[in-house]
Structures are given as structure tokens and as C-alpha cells.
Amino acid sequence: MNLIDLHVHSNASDGSLTPSEVADEAIRMGLSSIALTDHDTIDGVPEILDYTKDKELEVVPGIELSCYYNNREIHILGFYVDYTNPGLQKELQYLKDARESRNKKMIELMQKDGIDITMEKLLHGNPDSVITRAHFARVLVEDGICKNKDIAFKKYIGIGCKYYLPKPQVTCETAMKILTTYSKAAFLAHPLLYHMGYSQIEELLIYLKTLGLKGIEAYHSSNNCYESDKLRSMALKLDLEISGGSDFHGIIKPNIQIGKGRGGMRIPERLLDKIKSL
């Protein structure tokens, strides 16, 4: 059985590997297909598609957009993104500009208190990277301010912490309009990470389906078998397709392997075949 991974990150956003290195890792793990789904950017897509054009690996150009539902941040995956479309690039540039404004304000807050954090440190030699709080956490650890990234989030940059600033609140309507216009299919990512009950998740799915949602990420590194089964049943009830992905970030999440998650993940190629037929 051919295995796939439909949720993978590179250093175009907050992963540690370049898009080409991501492809090499997927090939090493024996995967037949992956989706590159960096946060709010498609900047890594051209590189990975060019790198794999003569290799035994199918790459789905994708994206993971952040938006807000009832003041709660959620993520929506887009598969087969029209990554060369100028309209999409304009929409994503707007989101990037808004995020960069927030990042600069967080840097200013930290520097005011004597924390030597700079945009140069956050970018880490990759000027096109989409900066997230994971980048702040990495620098706080590397500079010896925090012992590990969990502490960085709990004491410095987590919600409610002194240096936390919320991202600009992109609405579900805005994110779904982008994805329904410029991608083949939109799927809700890792629904169990939003600290919602199953009934609340179902309400969210019903709402997103009115905006064009096609499916749900039923398999994810954070799920156990029972949870994945619950999500599959919910998808069946709501006539939604299912996808699955590890949420691979390289050494940023060292316990998650591409294609295998935390060890037991096996995502069959037939899930991608269904997405292709949408």
C-alpha cells in the first residue's frame, strides 16, 4: 500500500528543512505523495516541485491558512493551490504584511525589557520565511533565556503572556474565499487541537461547509485511534472527505516523523485519490 502525508512544513514557514530537504526525507521514508502546506505562504512550492520533477514523489502544492472562529484561531488546509496565480500572491502578501507588523511590535516589547531579539535572528538566514511564534521560541531557547520551547510559550509568548500579541484576525469567510478561489479543496486541519468538544467541532464543520469546506483532517499526529475514528464518523455524517497528515516540522517538532507522525501513522494513497476527484 502506498503511503502519503498531506500536512508537511518547510522553512518557508516554521519548519527546519528546506523544501528540497523535505522531499528527500519523504523519499527516504518511502512515501509516494506529500502535500507541502506551509503557514500562510506558497513560497516553498516552486522549489519542491522543481526538485521532485524527476523523482518518485508526487507533491501536492498546498497551504495552511490561519483564521479565527469565535475568537479562536483555527487552521484550514488548501490542496492543489494555484500557486502561480497573481491574485493568490496578492492575497497572501496582504496577510504577510499584517503578520510582519505584529512581529515587529512583539520584538519592540521584548527589546524594551532588554531581551536581545531581532528580526535577523528570527529569520535565521531565510529572508522569505513567514515568522511565527515558533521562531520567537527558537531564539529564546538559543539565547539561553528559556530552557525549552514549552517554557518560552508558557512564560513569554503564549496567549495571555506579556509579549504575546494576537495575529490580525482573518475571518473564516476571508480564508475560505481565498481557498475556494485558488485551490481545489479546503480541509479543516487538526480539529482536536482547538480545545473544542465534538459537538462544537461539528458546528464548526457545518458552518465551514456553507463556505465551501470539502473535508476534515481526521488523521493527525495529535490524535489517537479513538479520536480519529470519531472524526471519520463525523465526516461521514456531514458528507465530508477525510485527509491525514503528520504536521511534520523537522527538528522544530523532533518527535514527529514525516509520514509516521509519532510512530504509528499510516495514511493511504486512496485519500488523495478522492481529493483529486473533487
Side-chain angles (χ1 to χ4, degrees), residues 80-97:
Y80 293 102
V81 173
D82 185 8
Y83 65 96
T84 63
N85 193 300
L88 174 62
Q89 294 168 355
K90 182 178 180 180
E91 294 277 9
L92 296 181
Q93 186 61 50
Y94 172 79
L95 298 181
K96 184 177 182 181
D97 290 344

Side-chain angles (χ1 to χ4, degrees), residues 102-146:
R102 172 250 204 169
N103 290 335
K104 288 176 182 177
K105 290 176 182 177
M106 287 179 64
I107 290 172
E108 290 171 3
L109 286 175
M110 291 183 175
Q111 289 179 342
K112 187 177 179 180
D113 285 351
I115 299 174
D116 184 25
I117 195 163
T118 65
M119 185 60 72
E120 183 179 9
K121 287 184 177 181
L122 293 169
L123 290 171
H124 200 55
N126 183 13
D128 296 322
S129 182
V130 174
I131 300 298
T132 69
R133 282 184 294 155
H135 293 78
F136 282 88
R138 173 182 54 77
V139 174
L140 289 171
V141 172
E142 289 177 351
D143 285 0
I145 297 168
C146 296

Side-chain angles (χ1 to χ4, degrees), residues 243-269:
S243 71
S246 64
D247 208 352
F248 174 78
H249 282 70
I251 62 171
I252 305 300
K253 296 182 179 180
N255 62 333
I256 293 177
Q257 284 185 298
I258 194 167
K260 288 194 174 183
R262 294 189 170 93
M265 179 174 286
R266 291 171 60 85
I267 304 164
E269 191 174 38

Side-chain angles (χ1 to χ4, degrees), residues 150-262:
D150 286 341
I151 292 175
F153 274 89
K154 289 177 182 177
K155 293 188 174 181
Y156 287 81
I157 57 174
I159 295 174
C161 294
K162 183 175 183 180
Y163 304 110
Y164 171 80
L165 291 175
K167 286 185 290 189
Q169 290 214 5
V170 177
T171 65
C172 292
E173 290 88 345
T174 297
M176 286 299 299
K177 184 177 180 181
I178 292 172
L179 293 175
T180 55
T181 302
Y182 300 110
S183 76
K184 185 177 185 64
F187 280 57
L188 179 65
H190 43 60
L192 296 180
L193 292 186
Y194 309 131
H195 306 292
M196 300 166 66
Y198 286 108
S199 61
Q200 291 175 302
I201 293 172
E202 186 169 327
E203 289 175 6
L204 170 59
L205 289 170
I206 291 171
Y207 166 61
L208 291 177
K209 190 176 178 183
T210 68
L211 301 178
L213 190 78
K214 297 295 185 184
I216 178 174
E217 187 175 48
Y219 302 105
H220 184 265
S221 293
S222 62
N223 298 356
N224 59 37
C225 292
Y226 171 80
E227 291 167 335
S228 292
D229 284 344
K230 288 280 287 186
L231 294 174
R232 287 175 58 198
S233 296
M234 194 178 298
L236 182 63
K237 177 182 177 181
L238 299 178
D239 193 27
L240 292 169
E241 297 296 338
I242 62 173
S243 71
S246 64
D247 208 352
F248 174 78
H249 282 70
I251 62 171
I252 305 300
K253 296 182 179 180
N255 62 333
I256 293 177
Q257 284 185 298
I258 194 167
K260 288 194 174 183
R262 294 189 170 93

